[in-house]
Amino acid sequence: MTMTPAATEASREQMIHQQLRAWQVLDPGILDVFARVPREAFVPPAYAELAFADIEIPLGAGDRMLAPKVAGRIMQAVAPLPTDRVLLVGVGSGFLAACLAARACSVRGLELRDDLAATATQNLQNAGVRNVTIECRNAFEPEALGSGTYDVIVLSGSLPVPDDRFAHQLSLGGRLFAVIGSGLVMEARLIERV
C-alpha cells in the first residue's frame, strides 16, 4: 500500500519532530535536509511503509539503513559545508549520501557490495541527486581512498580499532566520523584535523 502525499509529509514531519529533535538534532540546516531529501525514495519497496520509522531498515546480507535519528546525529556532527568534499564509506541505500550531498559540494561513496552500489546509484538518480559518485570497492584495499584529501569522512559502519588511514585523508579543518569498538562496547567519535 502506497502512502498518500499528505500522509508522507505528515510522517516526515513526525520523524523530524519526534526522532531527530528528540535526539538533539537541532541545527535548522540539518533539519531542512531531512525535510527535503525524500527518505522514502531510498527504502527497499518491501519496507516502504516503514520509511520514516525509528528503526534500522534491512538492506539484505546483514546490512541495514541507519535509523533517521542516527543519520541526523552524524550529519550534525560533521556539519558539511557547501565547499566540502565528502567521502562516505558504506553507502547502503544512498540516503545518507543524498543528505550529505544536499549540504556539500560533492560526495564520493565507497560500497563493498555491488548490489547496494547499483541500488544506491539508481536511488540517487531517481531522487535527482547529481553530486554523488558511487564506487563498488573495498575501502581497506590499497589505493581505494586515493591520494586526495576530504573535508568530511563518514564511516557508516563500525571499526574494531581506530584506523589512521582515514584521519590521514582529512584536509586541514576536516572532520571524520567513526564508530570504534565491537559488540556492546562501541563509541562514536568525531575527529577533527587542526
Side-chain angles (χ1 to χ4, degrees), residues 104-190:
C105 174
S106 64
V107 177
R108 177 181 178 226
L110 302 181
E111 175 55 56
L112 185 60
R113 287 179 45 197
D114 58 351
D115 60 326
L116 282 183
T119 298
T121 299
Q122 188 63 56
N123 290 344
L124 290 160
Q125 288 175 354
N126 293 345
V129 179
R130 303 287 179 247
N131 58 337
V132 177
T133 57
I134 306 292
E135 300 172 36
C136 182
R137 67 187 309 174
N138 185 340
F140 296 96
E141 291 176 352
E143 308 301 321
L145 300 180
S147 59
T149 60
Y150 298 92
D151 304 295
V152 172
I153 299 175
V154 174
L155 308 181
S156 68
S158 64
L159 297 174
V161 295
D163 189 326
D164 290 339
R165 288 179 300 159
F166 296 106
H168 291 303
Q169 297 289 141
L170 287 174
S171 60
L172 191 61
R175 288 90 59 211
L176 165 65
F177 174 86
V179 175
I180 309 297
S182 60
L184 298 176
V185 184
M186 292 189 178
E187 177 183 52
R189 293 186 187 175
L190 180 66

